[in-house]
Amino acid sequence: MGRTRPARGEAEAGRASAGGRPRDAAIDEAIILATRKLLARDGYSRMTIGDIVAEAEVTRPTLYRRWKNKFDLVVDALDHGFRKQRDMYAVDPSALTPRETLVEAVRRLDPASFDPDAMILMGNFAGEASRTPELLEILRKHAVEPRVALVEQVLERLRERGAVNAGLDVRTIALLCFGSYFAAFYAGEPQQEIPERVVAVLWPAIATGAGPAPVHPA
């Protein structure tokens, strides 16, 4: 009977022992992506190291050479996503009207813009708040706060330009905009329309000299 295909970790171990080469970045990526997939599907508490190595097609020793426990691996898996999203935490208003600038900022609030499973993942972490509160705090710091801060900064710049009212509570407006994505998700509403619909409601109330709100089609 022919030998079955070795797991990725076994192949890596053979290369490392023969030539002392550094670990394979492709294996790191496979483990990280497997972890993110299982986090969305099963949640942190139900996900096991055994599940991860099976999904990534590696061995337990391969995983434990990189991460000492599940929590450290999950932190890195989250950071992997955060790093890929950092470019979205900025809006260039130079070619946009004030209203268009706010629409673009609200568009970048969408948690699912990078990862379609982001809503489920964030919901799973909220469910872990009593068991592993550190995970929710990491999510707040790296995924929620940068998005909310983006809208706050855009509103502050628009206020400096005299485009919106001086007395705005920019924090509350930013949180309302961010929360609109979760409300639409749970209500089964299309999220692609959120930026325009939200700003259509907000703009007449916050803009200096704003005209009537544009009529949104039913």
Side-chain angles (χ1 to χ4, degrees), residues 117-140:
D117 293 327
M119 288 292 190
I120 298 170
L121 192 64
M122 296 175 88
N124 286 345
F125 283 174
E128 295 287 344
S130 62
R131 292 183 290 269
T132 317
E134 302 94 331
L135 290 175
L136 185 56
E137 189 56 39
I138 290 169
L139 200 68
R140 285 171 176 157

Side-chain angles (χ1 to χ4, degrees), residues 41-57:
R41 190 188 75 186
D42 300 334
Y44 178 79
S45 293
R46 291 179 56 199
M47 181 184 71
T48 68
I49 292 295
D51 295 333
I52 297 168
V53 298
E55 180 70 30
E57 298 182 339

Side-chain angles (χ1 to χ4, degrees), residues 20 43 108:
R108 298 191 186 201

Side-chain angles (χ1 to χ4, degrees), residues 12-22:
E12 178 207 31
R15 291 195 301 272
S17 60
R21 297 175 184 175

